[in-house]
């Protein structure tokens, strides 16, 4: 039999709140004072300041016990040390430090009770509230506002109770000034705590936004790669289908088994092509004007000269160098290499205006090496809109082929992007070219 739990009643909620508040008021858990985030070299400044504040608090307590209330003996030294210790303890355990401050204030009131003259303050010494104010400030910086309100209320309530029940007849109360001081300190601590929490949430949100932007850019780049590779795969599947259809007519008296196998090849190729277009057609339909449209052939390294000429026309001094024996590559490698060089040159245009750019392509035995390096810019770059994750897309393209891409600043103030892409494992006839070629 299922049992349904009823929501807590209002009375239960009211009982739960005081219990939680009591746990927060009677705790000695460690709650270190946060460091300053900016500037970093002043991170420990609040701790240093609090240690310096602890010294005058103790000295001031001892001086007033001696000068105003004529208290002598070891009690003066002990109470001074307790006052300073409570301020230092507030850096690590604010609630425990506040309780220690209250106990110290109660001991001071007990010690000076018989030494109070006409018009002198009690239970506080004239400087007593100033030595407890840092404790309330440290509490307000680290705990929720309701706990700060409870701390101030308890302090003032004990002050008023002692004043009414145990106050010497000739003493003078300063509870009004104490209430104003503690209220101001509590509001100040609450404001600083709220500012710190808001700044922390803002930094966290900025981090999440940056991660989301990078993830979105990565997904967009993967979609773009899929749309581009769709053309490559679709082309080859179409060729397979056509060759399987034509093959029986190129053989004299083909057997029925051969015709059946070729028909099966053509049927499988057409089915794979249909499924490929059905899945990736969705990606293409999102951006019908994208260069990956079926009416736009995918670029290869053979069109590198046109790309470099366009960049030169935009004002950059570009030099190209092709080393090794140039040979045909698989369409995926050709497309990836072209896109990496294109993105690297676009980054040079955006971030390094007036620089000299070198584009290097080296055909190795098994790998294709790419390098786009620019010198230091001669003028400042204008603000560049967008997410700024071009390197992420280039790494994604290189990783898709099992290659590697590295990018970073150069010692001369420029920037360099280099990539290594694996060649197609199938042996293809090489097209001999001069060992090194330069285009000025």
């Amino acid at each position: 039999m299922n049992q349904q739990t009823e929501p807590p009643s209002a009375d239960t909620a009211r009982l739960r709140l005081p219990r939680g508040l009591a746990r927060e008021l009677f705790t000695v858990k460690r709650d270190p004072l946060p460091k300053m985030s900016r500037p970093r070299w002043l991170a420990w400044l609040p701790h240093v300041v609090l240690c310096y504040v602890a010294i005058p608090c103790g000295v001031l307590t001892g001086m007033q016990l001696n000068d105003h209330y004529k208290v002598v003996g070891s009690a003066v030294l002990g109470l001074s040390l307790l006052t300073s210790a409570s301020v230092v303890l507030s850096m690590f355990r604010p609630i425990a430090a506040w309780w220690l401050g209250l106990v110290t204030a109660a001991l001071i009131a007990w010690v000076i009770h018989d030494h109070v003259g006409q018009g002198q303050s009690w239970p506080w010494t004239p400087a007593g509230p100033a030595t407890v104010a840092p404790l309330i400030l440290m509490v307000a910086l680290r705990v929720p506002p309701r706990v700060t309100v409870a701390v101030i209320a308890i302090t003032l309530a004990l002050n008023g109770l002692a004043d009414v029940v145990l106050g010497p007849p000739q003493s003078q109360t300063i509870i009004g000034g104490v209430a104003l001081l503690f209220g101001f300190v509590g509001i100040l601590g609450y404001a600083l705590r709220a500012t710190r929490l808001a700044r922390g949430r803002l930094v966290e949100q900025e981090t999440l936004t940056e991660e989301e932007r990078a993830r979105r850019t990565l997904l967009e780049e993967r979609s773009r790669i899929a749309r581009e590779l769709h053309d490559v795969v679709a082309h080859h599947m179409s060729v397979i289908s056509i060759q399987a259809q034509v093959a029986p007519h190129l053989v004299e008296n083909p057997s029925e088994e051969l015709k059946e196998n070729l028909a099966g090849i053509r049927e499988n190729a057409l089915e794979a092509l249909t499924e490929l277009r059905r899945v990736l057609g969705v990606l293409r339909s999102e951006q019908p004007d994208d260069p990956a449209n079926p009416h736009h052939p995918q670029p290869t390294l053979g069109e590198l000269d046109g790309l470099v000429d366009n960049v030169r026309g935009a004002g950059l001094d570009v030099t190209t160098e092709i080393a090794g024996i140039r040979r045909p590559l698989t369409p995926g490698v050709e497309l990836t290499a072209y896109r990496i060089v294109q993105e690297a040159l676009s980054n040079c245009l955006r971030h390094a205006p007036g620089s000299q750019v070198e584009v290097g392509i080296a055909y190795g035995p098994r790998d294709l090496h790419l390098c786009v390096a620019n010198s230091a810019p001669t003028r400042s770059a204008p603000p560049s809109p967008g997410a700024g994750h071009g390197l992420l897309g280039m790494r994604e393209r290189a990783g898709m082929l099992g290659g590697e891409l590295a990018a970073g600043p150069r010692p001369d103030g420029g920037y360099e992007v280099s990539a290594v892409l694996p060649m197609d494992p199938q042996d293809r006839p090489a097209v001999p070219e001069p060992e090194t070629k330069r285009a000025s």
Side-chain angles (χ1 to χ4, degrees):
M1 183 175 182
N2 296 331
Q3 295 182 353
Q4 296 181 354
T5 58
E6 297 181 356
S9 62
D11 294 337
T12 305
R14 282 195 295 269
L15 289 175
R16 189 177 301 170
L17 178 61
R19 290 175 183 174
L21 182 60
R23 284 195 298 269
E24 293 176 339
L25 285 175
F26 295 94
T27 180
V28 292
K29 68 177 182 179
R30 183 180 175 83
D31 189 3
L33 180 66
K35 296 185 292 184
M36 290 182 62
S37 57
R38 297 178 183 177
R40 293 189 176 182
W41 62 279
L42 290 179
W44 294 98
L45 179 61
H47 303 75
V48 175
V49 171
L50 202 59
C51 289
Y52 274 107
V53 169
I55 298 174
C57 284
V59 172
L60 195 58
T61 299
M63 290 177 58
Q64 292 206 336
L65 289 176
N66 277 320
D67 298 340
H68 289 269
Y69 298 93
K70 308 304 179 184
V71 178
V72 295
S74 59
V76 176
L77 178 60
L79 293 173
S80 300
L81 292 178
L82 282 177
T83 302
S84 298
S86 63
V87 176
V88 174
L89 181 62
S90 66
M91 286 192 297
F92 310 103
R93 291 178 169 84
I95 297 296
W98 167 69
W99 281 113
L100 179 60
L102 282 186
V103 172
T104 304
L107 292 175
I108 292 175
W110 178 68
V111 168
I112 67 174
H113 184 274
D114 298 332
H115 298 267
V116 177
Q118 185 66 36
Q120 287 185 319
S121 61
W122 191 90
W124 301 101
T125 63
T131 62
V132 178
L135 307 180
I136 295 179
L137 178 62
M138 292 299 104
V139 169
L141 283 174
R142 261 88 62 81
V143 301
R146 63 188 182 120
V147 181
T148 303
V149 172
V151 165
I152 297 176
I154 292 174
T155 305
L156 295 178
L158 293 176
N159 183 174
L161 182 63
D163 199 9
V164 171
V165 177
L166 303 173
Q170 71 277 15
S171 65
Q172 180 183 2
T173 181
I174 57 173
I175 189 171
V178 172
L180 290 176
L181 176 62
F182 290 172
F184 170 77
V185 171
I187 293 174
L188 176 63
Y190 167 75
L192 294 176
R193 178 177 181 271
T195 302
R196 175 172 57 84
L197 293 178
R199 187 182 295 114
R201 284 193 292 266
L202 179 61
V203 172
E204 181 181 358
Q205 187 63 35
E206 289 178 349
T207 303
L208 293 176
T209 302
E210 184 65 23
E211 292 176 354
E212 183 63 27
R213 185 183 297 117
R215 189 180 298 109
R216 184 174 65 251
T217 304
L218 178 61
L219 293 177
E220 291 175 355
E221 187 64 27
R222 287 179 176 178
S223 297
R224 183 183 177 189
I225 294 172
R227 289 193 300 270
E228 292 176 347
L229 291 183
H230 168 265
D231 292 344
V232 176
V233 177
H235 168 73
H236 287 285
M237 296 300 293
S238 300
V239 171
I240 293 174
S241 174
I242 294 173
Q243 289 177 339
Q245 184 179 10
V246 174
H249 302 283
L250 302 178
V251 179
E252 184 177 359
N253 299 323
S255 64
E256 292 298 326
E257 183 179 358
L258 177 61
K259 290 182 180 181
E260 183 178 352
N261 288 335
L262 291 176
I265 292 175
R266 182 175 184 274
E267 182 179 353
N268 289 330
L270 290 176
E271 183 177 353
L273 185 60
T274 302
E275 292 295 330
L276 179 66
R277 285 173 175 168
R278 182 179 301 159
V279 174
L280 298 185
V282 177
L283 297 176
R284 190 181 305 282
S285 64
E286 293 178 354
Q287 298 182 7
D289 297 331
D290 191 274
N293 192 278
H295 303 291
H296 296 80
Q298 297 303 332
T300 64
L301 289 178
E303 303 175 34
L304 180 64
D305 292 338
L307 174 63
V308 171
D309 290 339
N310 290 335
V311 176
R312 288 197 189 105
L316 279 185
D317 182 9
V318 184
T319 301
T320 61
E321 180 177 346
I322 301 177
I325 301 177
R326 188 171 184 175
R327 54 191 181 275
L329 306 175
T330 59
V333 176
E334 290 270 3
L335 175 61
T336 298
Y338 181 90
R339 291 302 189 197
I340 290 176
V341 175
Q342 182 185 42
E343 181 63 31
L345 290 177
S346 298
N347 288 340
C348 294
L349 283 173
R350 286 194 298 266
H351 306 296
S355 62
Q356 294 182 347
V357 183
E358 297 179 357
V359 178
I361 301 177
Y363 290 82
R366 298 181 179 178
D367 300 314
L368 177 68
H369 297 261
L370 307 173
C371 180
V372 180
N374 63 272
S375 61
T378 58
R379 58 182 183 272
S380 59
S384 177
H389 292 286
L391 291 176
L392 189 146
M394 288 190 282
R395 287 194 176 95
E396 182 71 11
R397 287 180 178 274
M400 179 189 64
L401 299 177
E404 297 179 354
L405 185 138
R410 303 175 67 186
D412 60 355
Y415 203 84
E416 179 176 334
V417 176
S418 59
V420 179
L421 305 178
M423 297 272 194
D424 180 61
Q426 296 181 358
D427 295 332
R428 295 175 179 268
V431 179
E433 282 198 1
E435 188 69 19
T436 302
K437 174 184 175 183
R438 282 187 178 272
S440 56

